[in-house]
């Protein structure tokens, strides 16, 4: 999987938001799916620039458990939960959920 820099993500988001280009056309330009671009746009719309900044880290077991329990208590999606907790990807939360249950 190709990793995209913050600058690439921001440029893609601005093309969609300001220039009204489609997520599909931007995805084709970048060589990724429109779903990924749409996810960046939603993160940007909800959280601003912070929503598309890459954040990597090591998470404690307690933190992972808290995230999964919070997601279930509040009935949140994987993506929204990841964004709320500054986790780069909803798939990470899905992996924690699978381990938890």
């Amino acid at each position: 999987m190709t990793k995209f820099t913050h600058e690439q993500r921001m440029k893609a988001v601005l093309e969609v938001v300001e220039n009204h280009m489609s997520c599909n056309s931007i995805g084709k330009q970048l060589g990724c799916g429109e779903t990924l671009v749409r996810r960046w746009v939603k993160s940007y719309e909800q959280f601003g620039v912070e929503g598309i900044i890459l954040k990597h880290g090591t998470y404690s077991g307690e933190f992972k458990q808290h995230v999964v329990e919070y997601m279930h208590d509040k009935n949140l999606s994987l993506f929204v939960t990841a964004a709320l907790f500054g986790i780069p990807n909803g798939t990470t939360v899905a992996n924690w959920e699978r381990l938890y249950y």
Side-chain angles (χ1 to χ4, degrees):
M1 180 174 98
T2 304
K3 300 277 184 175
F4 296 95
T5 66
H6 168 68
E7 290 79 15
Q8 289 172 311
R9 291 173 181 223
M10 193 68 215
K11 183 177 178 186
V13 167
L14 293 178
E15 288 291 331
V16 173
V17 173
E18 293 179 355
N19 297 332
H20 307 289
M21 294 189 67
S22 72
C23 292
N24 188 37
S25 65
I26 298 300
K28 284 181 181 177
Q29 287 177 10
L30 291 173
C32 67
E34 78 173 286
T35 304
L36 181 59
V37 177
R38 191 173 313 283
R39 197 177 308 150
W40 295 341
V41 171
K42 286 184 182 277
S43 281
Y44 176 78
E45 290 173 343
Q46 188 169 6
F47 302 104
V49 175
E50 287 294 314
I52 58 172
I53 291 176
L54 296 171
K55 301 169 189 140
H56 299 284
T58 304
Y59 307 99
S60 71
E62 287 179 0
F63 177 77
K64 294 175 185 179
Q65 180 179 350
H66 172 69
V67 169
V68 171
E69 290 173 352
Y70 186 88
M71 178 178 70
H72 284 272
D73 288 345
K74 303 293 184 185
N75 199 27
L76 300 174
S77 71
L78 294 167
F79 171 72
V80 170
T81 303
L84 283 173
F85 287 93
I87 300 163
N89 194 319
T91 305
T92 302
V93 179
N95 291 336
W96 298 349
E97 181 183 37
R98 190 171 33 258
L99 289 171
Y100 183 83
Y101 291 105

